[in-house]
Amino acid sequence: SFDRRNIVADIINVINSINNVTITTISSAKNKSGDLLTKIRLSVNNVDTLNNTITNLQKVADIYTIERTIK
């Protein structure tokens, strides 16, 4: 995302507004090009809830991309 004031707060607020989603970890840091890389680990009940969360996060201003990784 673009590194603007309160973007992490906006992200947290969106996630907290969705039922059955819990943030287990979150970290943010600027990369070499000056963009903000925010990593969030979520606990969700099912894939539909995760997809709904991603859809809502895509509406946050200044987020460029969202990638899902599975570990």
Side-chain angles (χ1 to χ4, degrees), residues 48-62:
D48 290 335
T49 302
L50 177 61
N51 290 334
N52 181 44
T53 304
I54 291 170
T55 298
N56 283 285
L57 286 170
Q58 289 170 331
K59 297 174 186 175
V60 175
D62 299 318

Side-chain angles (χ1 to χ4, degrees), residues 40-71:
I40 306 167
R41 179 170 286 172
L42 301 174
S43 175
V44 297
N45 290 343
N46 55 51
V47 174
D48 290 335
T49 302
L50 177 61
N51 290 334
N52 181 44
T53 304
I54 291 170
T55 298
N56 283 285
L57 286 170
Q58 289 170 331
K59 297 174 186 175
V60 175
D62 299 318
I63 291 181
Y64 307 142
T65 60
I66 298 173
E67 295 178 19
R68 177 182 177 195
T69 59
I70 301 171
K71 289 189 176 184

Side-chain angles (χ1 to χ4, degrees), residues 28-45:
S28 284
K30 276 187 172 183
N31 64 16
K32 290 181 182 180
S33 62
D35 292 326
L36 188 69
L37 177 62
T38 303
K39 295 181 181 184
I40 306 167
R41 179 170 286 172
L42 301 174
S43 175
V44 297
N45 290 343

